[in-house]
Amino acid sequence: MNDFLFIVGLLTALGGGLLAVIARNLFHAAIGLAATLAGTACLFVPIGGEFVAVIQVLVYLGAVAVSIVFILMLSPPFYLKRVHRNALKLLGAVIVTLVVAVPLFAAALAAGPAKGSTAAAPTVQQIGRALLTEFVFPFEIISVLLTVAIIGAIVIARDLPEDEQAVLAEKVPAVKEVDA
Amino acid sequence: MTTLTSYLVLSVILFLFGVFGLMERRNLVGLLISVELMLNAASINFMAFNHFMFPGTVTGQIMTLFVIGLAAAEATLFLAIVFAVYRHYRSVNVERVDHLRG
Protein backbone atom coordinates (compact mmCIF):
# COMPACT_ATOMS: atom_id res chain seq x y z
CA MET A 1 0.00 0.00 0.00
CA ASN A 2 2.78 2.40 0.94
CA ASP A 3 4.78 1.53 -2.15
CA PHE A 4 1.67 2.01 -4.27
CA LEU A 5 1.08 5.48 -2.78
CA PHE A 6 4.75 6.33 -3.29
CA ILE A 7 4.67 5.34 -6.97
CA VAL A 8 1.42 7.21 -7.61
CA GLY A 9 2.69 10.31 -5.81
CA LEU A 10 6.04 10.17 -7.60
CA LEU A 11 4.53 9.93 -11.08
CA THR A 12 1.91 12.61 -10.38
CA ALA A 13 4.41 15.00 -8.81
CA LEU A 14 7.06 14.63 -11.51
CA GLY A 15 4.59 14.69 -14.40
CA GLY A 16 2.85 17.73 -12.96
CA GLY A 17 6.15 19.50 -12.31
CA LEU A 18 7.29 18.89 -15.87
CA LEU A 19 3.98 20.23 -17.21
CA ALA A 20 4.21 23.24 -14.89
CA VAL A 21 7.53 24.40 -16.35
CA ILE A 22 7.32 23.46 -20.02
CA ALA A 23 3.67 24.22 -20.82
CA ARG A 24 3.36 27.25 -23.10
CA ASN A 25 -0.21 27.89 -22.01
CA LEU A 26 -0.03 29.15 -18.42
CA PHE A 27 -3.36 27.57 -17.61
CA HIS A 28 -1.84 24.15 -18.30
CA ALA A 29 1.07 25.12 -16.08
CA ALA A 30 -1.36 25.88 -13.24
CA ILE A 31 -2.98 22.47 -13.73
CA GLY A 32 0.50 20.91 -13.61
CA LEU A 33 1.20 22.71 -10.33
CA ALA A 34 -2.05 21.35 -8.89
CA ALA A 35 -1.02 17.84 -9.94
CA THR A 36 2.36 18.28 -8.26
CA LEU A 37 0.74 19.41 -5.02
CA ALA A 38 -1.65 16.46 -5.03
CA GLY A 39 1.21 14.06 -5.75
CA THR A 40 3.22 15.54 -2.90
CA ALA A 41 0.29 14.97 -0.54
CA CYS A 42 0.33 11.31 -1.67
CA LEU A 43 4.06 11.15 -0.92
CA PHE A 44 3.56 12.41 2.63
CA VAL A 45 1.30 9.51 3.63
CA PRO A 46 3.89 6.66 3.56
CA ILE A 47 6.24 8.66 5.83
CA GLY A 48 3.76 9.27 8.60
CA GLY A 49 2.49 12.62 7.45
CA GLU A 50 -1.24 11.96 7.11
CA PHE A 51 -2.18 15.18 8.86
CA VAL A 52 0.24 17.28 6.79
CA ALA A 53 -1.08 15.60 3.64
CA VAL A 54 -4.62 16.69 4.51
CA ILE A 55 -3.46 20.24 5.23
CA GLN A 56 -1.50 20.24 1.96
CA VAL A 57 -4.65 19.36 0.02
CA LEU A 58 -6.81 21.84 1.95
CA VAL A 59 -4.52 24.87 1.91
CA TYR A 60 -2.06 24.38 -0.93
CA LEU A 61 -4.31 22.67 -3.44
CA GLY A 62 -7.56 24.24 -2.28
CA ALA A 63 -6.38 27.80 -1.77
CA VAL A 64 -3.04 28.54 -3.44
CA ALA A 65 -3.54 26.58 -6.67
CA VAL A 66 -7.14 27.73 -6.97
CA SER A 67 -6.16 31.38 -6.47
CA ILE A 68 -3.59 31.04 -9.27
CA VAL A 69 -6.30 29.63 -11.55
CA PHE A 70 -8.56 32.50 -10.41
CA ILE A 71 -6.09 35.18 -11.47
CA LEU A 72 -5.64 33.49 -14.84
CA MET A 73 -9.41 33.39 -15.33
CA LEU A 74 -10.03 36.95 -14.11
CA SER A 75 -7.25 38.64 -16.05
CA PRO A 76 -7.11 39.45 -19.74
CA PRO A 77 -6.01 36.26 -21.46
CA PHE A 78 -2.30 37.02 -21.44
CA TYR A 79 -1.69 33.37 -20.75
CA LEU A 80 -2.77 32.59 -24.30
CA LYS A 81 -0.09 34.81 -25.85
CA ARG A 82 2.61 32.73 -27.42
CA VAL A 83 6.07 33.49 -26.15
CA HIS A 84 8.83 33.83 -28.68
CA ARG A 85 11.28 31.13 -27.75
CA ASN A 86 14.71 32.59 -27.38
CA ALA A 87 17.31 29.86 -27.87
CA LEU A 88 19.98 31.81 -25.98
CA LYS A 89 17.82 32.28 -22.89
CA LEU A 90 16.71 28.66 -23.03
CA LEU A 91 20.35 27.59 -23.15
CA GLY A 92 21.14 29.87 -20.21
CA ALA A 93 18.29 28.37 -18.19
CA VAL A 94 19.51 24.84 -18.94
CA ILE A 95 23.08 25.72 -17.94
CA VAL A 96 22.00 27.35 -14.66
CA THR A 97 19.81 24.34 -13.87
CA LEU A 98 22.67 21.93 -14.52
CA VAL A 99 25.06 23.98 -12.39
CA VAL A 100 22.56 23.94 -9.52
CA ALA A 101 21.86 20.24 -10.10
CA VAL A 102 25.39 18.95 -9.46
CA PRO A 103 25.80 19.91 -5.76
CA LEU A 104 22.16 19.14 -4.98
CA PHE A 105 22.37 15.62 -6.37
CA ALA A 106 25.68 15.07 -4.62
CA ALA A 107 24.15 16.15 -1.31
CA ALA A 108 21.03 14.03 -1.81
CA LEU A 109 23.03 10.89 -2.59
CA ALA A 110 25.43 11.51 0.29
CA ALA A 111 22.70 11.81 2.91
CA GLY A 112 23.50 9.56 5.81
CA PRO A 113 21.82 6.22 6.28
CA ALA A 114 18.37 6.47 7.79
CA LYS A 115 17.99 5.45 11.39
CA GLY A 116 15.90 2.36 11.87
CA SER A 117 12.47 3.86 12.28
CA THR A 118 10.61 1.88 14.92
CA ALA A 119 8.80 4.81 16.51
CA ALA A 120 5.15 5.17 15.63
CA ALA A 121 4.17 7.94 13.25
CA PRO A 122 3.36 11.17 15.10
CA THR A 123 -0.30 11.61 15.90
CA VAL A 124 -2.38 14.73 15.33
CA GLN A 125 -2.46 15.13 19.09
CA GLN A 126 1.34 15.36 19.22
CA ILE A 127 1.42 17.91 16.40
CA GLY A 128 -1.24 20.05 18.05
CA ARG A 129 0.52 19.91 21.39
CA ALA A 130 3.86 20.93 19.86
CA LEU A 131 2.21 23.78 17.92
CA LEU A 132 0.75 25.29 21.08
CA THR A 133 3.72 24.75 23.37
CA GLU A 134 7.15 24.56 21.77
CA PHE A 135 6.23 26.38 18.54
CA VAL A 136 3.60 28.77 19.84
CA PHE A 137 5.63 31.87 18.94
CA PRO A 138 6.11 31.09 15.22
CA PHE A 139 2.49 29.92 15.19
CA GLU A 140 1.27 33.32 16.39
CA ILE A 141 3.67 35.14 14.07
CA ILE A 142 2.24 33.20 11.13
CA SER A 143 -1.29 34.26 12.04
CA VAL A 144 -0.23 37.93 12.20
CA LEU A 145 1.65 37.50 8.92
CA LEU A 146 -1.40 36.08 7.17
CA THR A 147 -3.55 38.98 8.38
CA VAL A 148 -0.97 41.50 7.20
CA ALA A 149 -0.67 39.71 3.85
CA ILE A 150 -4.43 39.83 3.28
CA ILE A 151 -4.69 43.54 4.16
CA GLY A 152 -1.59 44.29 2.08
CA ALA A 153 -3.03 42.42 -0.88
CA ILE A 154 -6.22 44.47 -0.73
CA VAL A 155 -4.24 47.73 -0.51
CA ILE A 156 -1.94 46.82 -3.41
CA ALA A 157 -4.68 45.52 -5.70
CA ARG A 158 -7.23 48.30 -5.13
CA ASP A 159 -7.96 50.85 -7.82
CA LEU A 160 -5.93 54.03 -7.63
CA PRO A 161 -7.83 57.32 -7.25
CA GLU A 162 -8.31 59.27 -10.49
CA ASP A 163 -5.72 61.98 -9.75
CA GLU A 164 -3.02 59.46 -8.89
CA GLN A 165 -3.83 57.55 -12.07
CA ALA A 166 -3.31 60.73 -14.10
CA VAL A 167 0.06 61.37 -12.45
CA LEU A 168 1.08 57.79 -13.09
CA ALA A 169 0.02 57.95 -16.73
CA GLU A 170 2.45 60.83 -17.28
CA LYS A 171 5.34 59.07 -15.60
CA VAL A 172 4.93 55.60 -17.07
CA PRO A 173 4.85 55.58 -20.84
CA ALA A 174 2.14 53.26 -22.04
CA VAL A 175 3.50 49.96 -23.23
CA LYS A 176 1.70 49.34 -26.47
CA GLU A 177 2.39 45.76 -27.31
CA VAL A 178 1.55 43.09 -24.80
CA ASP A 179 3.79 40.12 -25.25
CA ALA A 180 3.54 38.58 -21.82
CA MET B 1 11.25 1.68 -2.04
CA THR B 2 10.32 4.46 0.35
CA THR B 3 13.85 5.31 1.42
CA LEU B 4 15.45 8.59 2.40
CA THR B 5 17.47 8.71 -0.81
CA SER B 6 14.46 8.19 -3.06
CA TYR B 7 12.62 11.05 -1.36
CA LEU B 8 15.65 13.33 -1.54
CA VAL B 9 16.28 12.61 -5.21
CA LEU B 10 12.63 13.25 -6.01
CA SER B 11 12.75 16.54 -4.15
CA VAL B 12 15.93 17.58 -5.98
CA ILE B 13 14.25 16.89 -9.32
CA LEU B 14 11.20 18.96 -8.36
CA PHE B 15 13.47 21.76 -7.15
CA LEU B 16 15.36 21.72 -10.46
CA PHE B 17 12.07 22.00 -12.36
CA GLY B 18 11.46 25.09 -10.23
CA VAL B 19 14.91 26.54 -10.97
CA PHE B 20 14.49 25.95 -14.69
CA GLY B 21 11.05 27.57 -14.68
CA LEU B 22 12.37 30.55 -12.73
CA MET B 23 15.11 31.08 -15.33
CA GLU B 24 13.04 30.44 -18.41
CA ARG B 25 9.64 32.00 -17.67
CA ARG B 26 9.06 35.65 -18.46
CA ASN B 27 5.53 35.84 -17.10
CA LEU B 28 4.97 36.80 -13.45
CA VAL B 29 2.37 34.07 -12.89
CA GLY B 30 4.74 31.52 -14.42
CA LEU B 31 7.41 32.64 -11.96
CA LEU B 32 4.97 32.18 -9.08
CA ILE B 33 4.24 28.63 -10.22
CA SER B 34 7.98 27.86 -10.32
CA VAL B 35 8.50 29.26 -6.82
CA GLU B 36 5.67 27.11 -5.51
CA LEU B 37 7.36 24.04 -7.01
CA MET B 38 10.57 24.89 -5.16
CA LEU B 39 8.77 25.44 -1.84
CA ASN B 40 7.06 22.11 -2.34
CA ALA B 41 10.41 20.38 -2.85
CA ALA B 42 11.62 21.90 0.44
CA SER B 43 8.53 20.55 2.20
CA ILE B 44 9.28 17.05 0.93
CA ASN B 45 12.80 17.33 2.36
CA PHE B 46 11.54 18.38 5.78
CA MET B 47 9.05 15.51 5.88
CA ALA B 48 11.59 12.92 4.71
CA PHE B 49 14.29 13.96 7.18
CA ASN B 50 11.74 14.04 10.00
CA HIS B 51 10.61 10.50 9.27
CA PHE B 52 13.91 8.83 8.43
CA MET B 53 16.39 10.62 10.68
CA PHE B 54 14.30 11.68 13.69
CA PRO B 55 11.46 9.18 13.96
CA GLY B 56 8.90 9.91 16.64
CA THR B 57 9.34 13.70 16.54
CA VAL B 58 7.12 16.28 14.88
CA THR B 59 9.49 19.19 14.22
CA GLY B 60 9.81 18.56 10.49
CA GLN B 61 6.08 18.19 10.08
CA ILE B 62 5.51 21.49 11.85
CA MET B 63 8.08 23.17 9.61
CA THR B 64 6.12 21.84 6.64
CA LEU B 65 2.93 23.33 8.07
CA PHE B 66 4.71 26.69 8.40
CA VAL B 67 5.98 26.44 4.82
CA ILE B 68 2.40 25.88 3.66
CA GLY B 69 1.20 28.91 5.65
CA LEU B 70 3.99 31.10 4.29
CA ALA B 71 3.26 29.94 0.75
CA ALA B 72 -0.36 30.97 1.19
CA ALA B 73 0.65 34.46 2.36
CA GLU B 74 3.21 34.73 -0.45
CA ALA B 75 0.72 33.70 -3.13
CA THR B 76 -1.84 36.24 -1.89
CA LEU B 77 0.60 39.14 -2.07
CA PHE B 78 2.10 37.94 -5.32
CA LEU B 79 -1.26 37.85 -7.04
CA ALA B 80 -2.07 41.37 -5.78
CA ILE B 81 1.27 42.56 -7.17
CA VAL B 82 0.48 40.90 -10.51
CA PHE B 83 -2.77 42.88 -10.64
CA ALA B 84 -1.00 46.14 -9.78
CA VAL B 85 1.82 45.55 -12.28
CA TYR B 86 -0.62 44.67 -15.01
CA ARG B 87 -2.63 47.83 -14.36
CA HIS B 88 0.44 50.06 -14.57
CA TYR B 89 2.29 48.42 -17.45
CA ARG B 90 -0.46 46.58 -19.35
CA SER B 91 1.90 43.60 -19.30
CA VAL B 92 3.11 40.96 -16.88
CA ASN B 93 6.31 40.28 -18.78
CA VAL B 94 9.10 40.81 -16.26
CA GLU B 95 11.39 42.25 -18.92
CA ARG B 96 9.01 45.15 -19.52
CA VAL B 97 8.70 46.02 -15.84
CA ASP B 98 12.07 47.74 -15.68
CA HIS B 99 11.41 51.21 -14.28
CA LEU B 100 13.66 50.55 -11.30
CA ARG B 101 16.54 49.48 -13.53
CA GLY B 102 19.73 51.06 -12.25
Side-chain angles (χ1 to χ4, degrees):
Chain A
M1 185 59 191
N2 276 352
D3 279 352
F4 174 72
L5 273 177
F6 181 76
I7 298 283
V8 169
L10 181 120
L11 293 179
T12 321
L14 288 185
L18 198 60
L19 183 63
V21 291
I22 65 168
R24 286 297 100 192
N25 183 337
L26 264 186
F27 190 74
H28 296 165
I31 299 294
L33 176 70
T36 309
L37 299 175
T40 312
C42 267
L43 287 169
F44 285 167
V45 176
I47 53 176
E50 288 91 351
F51 177 68
V52 181
V54 171
I55 297 297
Q56 166 107 358
V57 172
L58 273 180
V59 178
Y60 234 138
L61 199 53
V64 175
V66 169
S67 67
I68 291 175
V69 173
F70 253 69
I71 194 167
L72 290 177
M73 296 278 93
L74 286 175
S75 52
F78 54 71
Y79 61 91
L80 288 178
K81 301 269 184 200
R82 293 283 166 231
V83 184
H84 306 291
R85 277 189 183 277
N86 184 332
L88 203 63
K89 278 175 188 160
L90 200 62
L91 186 68
V94 170
I95 290 173
V96 170
T97 308
L98 289 180
V99 168
V100 176
V102 174
L104 282 183
F105 269 114
L109 295 175
K115 292 176 182 160
S117 152
T118 52
T123 60
V124 179
Q125 193 182 9
Q126 267 176 287
I127 295 175
R129 194 176 295 277
L131 264 184
L132 288 182
T133 55
E134 201 181 340
F135 297 99
V136 67
F137 185 65
F139 182 74
E140 295 296 336
I141 292 289
I142 288 261
S143 36
V144 174
L145 177 84
L146 281 170
T147 315
V148 172
I150 291 167
I151 296 172
I154 294 170
V155 171
I156 292 173
R158 85 190 199 290
D159 262 330
L160 289 174
E162 294 284 325
D163 49 337
E164 282 184 42
Q165 270 180 6
V167 173
L168 194 76
E170 281 173 21
K171 285 184 183 161
V172 181
V175 180
K176 289 283 182 259
E177 56 207 301
V178 180
D179 66 347
Chain B
M1 178 155 298
T2 54
T3 62
L4 179 59
T5 308
S6 60
Y7 271 91
L8 290 185
V9 168
L10 169 66
S11 128
V12 168
I13 294 172
L14 275 183
F15 188 85
L16 291 176
F17 283 159
V19 171
F20 179 77
L22 208 57
M23 291 292 136
E24 198 256 351
R25 291 264 187 223
R26 288 293 170 269
N27 184 308
L28 272 174
V29 181
L31 293 183
L32 175 65
I33 289 175
S34 305
V35 170
E36 297 292 345
L37 277 182
M38 292 160 79
L39 281 175
N40 211 41
S43 297
I44 295 177
N45 262 9
F46 273 120
M47 292 295 286
F49 276 119
N50 189 153
H51 178 72
F52 291 107
M53 302 300 264
F54 305 97
T57 63
V58 293
T59 312
Q61 301 211 358
I62 285 179
M63 282 306 294
T64 307
L65 292 178
F66 286 152
V67 168
I68 293 174
L70 285 174
E74 175 230 343
T76 319
L77 276 177
F78 202 102
L79 296 181
I81 291 172
V82 170
F83 265 130
V85 165
Y86 185 79
R87 207 164 41 219
H88 290 186
Y89 289 91
R90 295 285 140 208
S91 167
V92 290
N93 186 331
V94 287
E95 290 181 346
R96 299 198 162 275
V97 186
D98 59 358
H99 262 252
L100 288 183
R101 175 174 285 173

